[in-house]
Amino acid sequence: MEIRTDFLVIGSGIAGLSFALNAAKEGSVAIITKKAHSECNTNYAQGGIATVISPDDSFDLHIQDTLTAGAGLCHLDSVELIVREGPRMVKNLMRLGVEFTKKPEGALSLGREGGHSKNRIVHAADLTGHEIEHVLGENVQANDRIAVYENHIAIDLITEHHLLRIQEEQREHVTCWGAYALDTDTGQVKKFLAKVVLLCTGGAGQVYLHTTNPKIATGDGIAMVYRAGGTVGNLEFMQFHPTSLYHPDGQSFLISEAVRGYGGVLITRKGEPFMERYHEMASLAPRDIVARAIDHEMKRSGDPCVYLDVTKKNPEETRERFPNIFQKCLSLGIDLTQEPIPVVPAAHYMCGGVQTDMWGRTAIQGLYACGEVAFTGVHGANRLASNSLLEALVFSERAYQDAKKTLRENRSSFPDIPEWNEEGTFNTAEWVIMSHDREEIQRLMWDYVGIVRSNFRLRRAQRRIRLLSEEVEAFYRRAKVTNDLIELRNLVAVAELIIRSALMRKESRGLHYTTDYPERDDRRWKRDTTFCKGDRRK
Ligand code: FAD
Ligand code: SIN
């Protein structure tokens, strides 16, 4: 089955939906998304959007805080862009209907998070992402130029590789014509053809055993682009959020950094605050520093978690400021106004990704990327809290501005693109292999490619992941595609790419800390680690 559209948007988080609303002014839009449209990282965002609104704040301060957190690798032009566009983006969202929390006198309430020198986080209580996703979703649904295909998972981008007559070595440029996607309700693989393709498949937290990300965050976009010959970069910079809830029934639930911004203090099991020993900003130091400090404290004490204490704050105010976190903890028997919350670090945000320019363009013609899947240079070696929703909004608008020109100039016709070929594949009964392999990847990555790394651990992980990768690829070639198999193939690919990037960087910087090269080395390593398929650099 073939579906033709002007714009194909892969992913329905903040990046995909905001792009779609703009693109619909120019032409027809098809959004494919692998589950219900709201099942995405955006929906779980708690803290909010960093932006300069307060009179005692300035663009320069926000830029400086971003650069400091990014440990020397942020691209200044991208940082300046998102910071200066921030207030306009927030106004746009409000115009669409997003309701942010206001102070009694009517001004926007501004929260504080780690690494920020000012209160500048615009939020909707502690459910900011849910509010944004809901409002964008309503606007999309009301727009009859946008068709949403839920339960459709993109398998691969359609490029020259799929046009059998063009040999790989003859290619100078790769062009994207659309994507093959599996309709998981019917089991049918459909061919989506588009004049412009926007990739906004989000993050890759599921590569790790402990993560704040929902199940959809399997790095599909990074894996698809790499397979198609595009450039990826800075994948060693996986951000670990310092405070995810430590509870057998509350795994992957985030305790927002805004709780520390509000006055929450990190303490040991014995009740001793410890962050002053690691950084002058104590519990509000940048994330890489807090996560490493917690890891160190846990290893030193042998305790399975540390604690976040907000019991000194006014209980009523706390309940009102964090209704979602309060309720979740209470449902697990923790009254956070009376007792400290047990917390551990968890994989949270992929700072690297598919390399793009300032207009969201990738190395593949006709393919744009934005949101968490993209590596725009904003976050450097460590993302400043609450800069990612903002980055997604700014770059999706930039991608739209460029894509509308591409639409007008290019592609009146498509080459002859074959239907999905499933010849020789069969329905297999070996599904247990898939859940086993998924968990094995997640454990390997958590144990060997986590907060503290070493050459020995990285190489050990690399050998094992390569073996898994060969097995998964062989299985993929024989079996009929399913959602789980597509995700597994992408997870193992992204794990391999993260390890490769981590081995390339022979220094410690931001989120990448290795005991073999414990110092930052600006002379040799003040640069990004970018590569593409066929690139032999190690
Ligand atoms: P997502 O919102 O993750 O959307 C990705 C979409 O792609 C989904 O719809 C998914 O189903 C779809 N998809 C993926 N693969 C495929 C495929 N193969 N085929 C079809 N569809 C596919 N950032 C902030 O700035 N402030 C915060 O307060 C904040 N809090 C956070 C709290 C949590 C718990 C988490 C997990 C993240 C938080 N972040 C926050 C980060 C931020 O939420 C994300 O970076 C951002 O929402 C990413 O948006 P996105 O549109 O790029 O991706
Ligand atoms: C949080 O609320 O702590 C998450 C903020 C972010 O990841 O930007």
Side-chain angles (χ1 to χ4, degrees), residues 34 39-41 201-208 211-220 238 348 372 438 442 487 491 494:
K34 64 177 163 178
E39 190 50 8
C40 53
N41 279 7
T201 46
Q206 287 290 327
V207 172
Y208 287 86
T211 176
T212 62
N213 292 189
K215 292 262 185 286
I216 53 96
T218 49
D220 297 3
M238 168 59 80
H348 182 62
E372 191 166 340
R438 186 168 173 137
Q442 292 170 328
E487 287 189 346
L491 280 172
V494 174

Side-chain angles (χ1 to χ4, degrees), residues 11-12 14-15 33-34 41-42 45 47-48 154 201 220 349 371-372 386 388-389:
S12 59
I14 187 169
T33 184
K34 64 177 163 178
N41 279 7
T42 302
T201 46
D220 297 3
Y349 183 87
E372 191 166 340
S386 285
S388 44
L389 294 173

Side-chain angles (χ1 to χ4, degrees), residues 44-48 113 121 212 239 241-243 254-260 287 325 348-349 383-389:
Y44 296 90
Q46 294 182 353
E113 288 179 8
I121 317 295
T212 62
Q239 182 170 69
H241 196 292
T243 57
L254 181 75
I255 306 296
S256 175
E257 200 156 279
V259 176
R260 278 174 281 139
R287 267 184 204 170
I325 296 173
H348 182 62
Y349 183 87
R383 177 181 64 107
L384 183 67
S386 285
N387 264 354
S388 44
L389 294 173

Side-chain angles (χ1 to χ4, degrees), residues 175-457:
T175 310
C176 180
W177 307 102
Y180 291 111
L182 170 71
D183 175 344
T184 50
D185 289 335
T186 64
Q188 188 185 20
V189 176
K190 299 175 184 168
K191 183 171 63 171
F192 286 82
L193 300 183
K195 295 175 184 164
V196 169
V197 180
L198 178 84
L199 192 66
C200 34
T201 46
Q206 287 290 327
V207 172
Y208 287 86
L209 190 61
H210 303 293
T211 176
T212 62
N213 292 189
K215 292 262 185 286
I216 53 96
T218 49
D220 297 3
I222 296 172
M224 285 192 282
V225 165
Y226 183 74
R227 282 196 292 271
T231 308
V232 296
N234 282 10
L235 297 170
E236 67 275 35
F237 299 122
M238 168 59 80
Q239 182 170 69
F240 291 83
H241 196 292
T243 57
S244 82
L245 183 61
Y246 177 71
H247 191 280
D249 301 326
Q251 289 247 336
S252 96
F253 184 77
L254 181 75
I255 306 296
S256 175
E257 200 156 279
V259 176
R260 278 174 281 139
Y262 166 77
V265 176
L266 284 163
I267 56 172
T268 62
R269 188 167 54 87
K270 291 182 182 149
E272 291 154 3
F274 56 87
M275 273 311 301
E276 282 81 2
R277 282 192 270 117
Y278 294 89
H279 197 274
E280 66 206 10
M281 290 175 88
S283 292
L284 275 177
R287 267 184 204 170
D288 54 335
I289 291 160
V290 183
R292 253 193 324 273
I294 294 177
D295 187 66
H296 189 248
E297 287 296 319
M298 281 164 50
K299 285 192 176 126
R300 206 170 59 100
S301 64
D303 291 335
C305 63
V306 295
Y307 295 83
L308 183 56
D309 186 11
V310 263
T311 58
K312 311 280 181 300
K313 302 290 289 186
N314 177 319
E316 208 174 308
E317 212 182 297
T318 305
R319 278 193 293 270
E320 196 182 320
R321 174 66 182 86
F322 302 106
N324 174 41
I325 296 173
F326 175 76
Q327 275 310 329
K328 177 69 185 187
C329 288
L330 201 61
S331 75
L332 298 171
I334 305 161
D335 179 348
L336 58 79
T337 63
Q338 304 300 319
E339 59 192 307
I341 314 163
V343 291
V344 282
H348 182 62
Y349 183 87
M350 174 44 86
C351 294
V354 174
Q355 191 178 33
T356 70
D357 66 9
M358 294 288 284
W359 298 96
R361 291 182 289 218
T362 70
I364 298 178
Q365 283 178 12
L367 180 72
Y368 294 76
C370 59
E372 191 166 340
V373 70
F375 156 45
T376 61
V378 166
H379 308 304
N382 176 37
R383 177 181 64 107
L384 183 67
S386 285
N387 264 354
S388 44
L389 294 173
L390 177 59
E391 180 204 31
L393 289 167
V394 173
F395 274 88
S396 75
E397 192 188 85
R398 299 274 290 188
Y400 155 69
Q401 281 161 356
D402 197 82
K404 71 180 177 195
K405 286 190 244 151
T406 306
L407 181 78
R408 287 175 194 163
E409 289 159 10
N410 290 344
R411 310 263 191 103
S412 46
S413 64
F414 294 103
D416 201 12
I417 293 162
E419 293 294 327
W420 179 251
N421 182 1
E422 55 174 22
E423 224 178 85
T425 61
F426 58 92
N427 284 314
T428 165
E430 300 292 347
W431 300 125
V432 65
I433 293 177
M434 274 192 288
S435 56
H436 182 277
D437 280 2
R438 186 168 173 137
E439 201 180 314
E440 195 172 340
I441 295 163
Q442 292 170 328
R443 271 191 195 284
L444 272 168
M445 292 300 284
W446 185 257
D447 289 343
Y448 299 147
V449 197
I451 297 171
V452 176
R453 300 163 180 177
S454 70
N455 283 339
F456 178 77
R457 289 183 192 182

Side-chain angles (χ1 to χ4, degrees), residues 522-538:
D522 274 349
R523 202 171 52 84
R524 291 194 307 152
W525 283 103
K526 202 170 175 192
R527 57 184 161 96
D528 300 318
T529 42
T530 55
F531 55 89
C532 59
K533 204 160 81 179
D535 195 338
R536 299 265 164 250
R537 279 175 298 165
K538 288 274 182 315

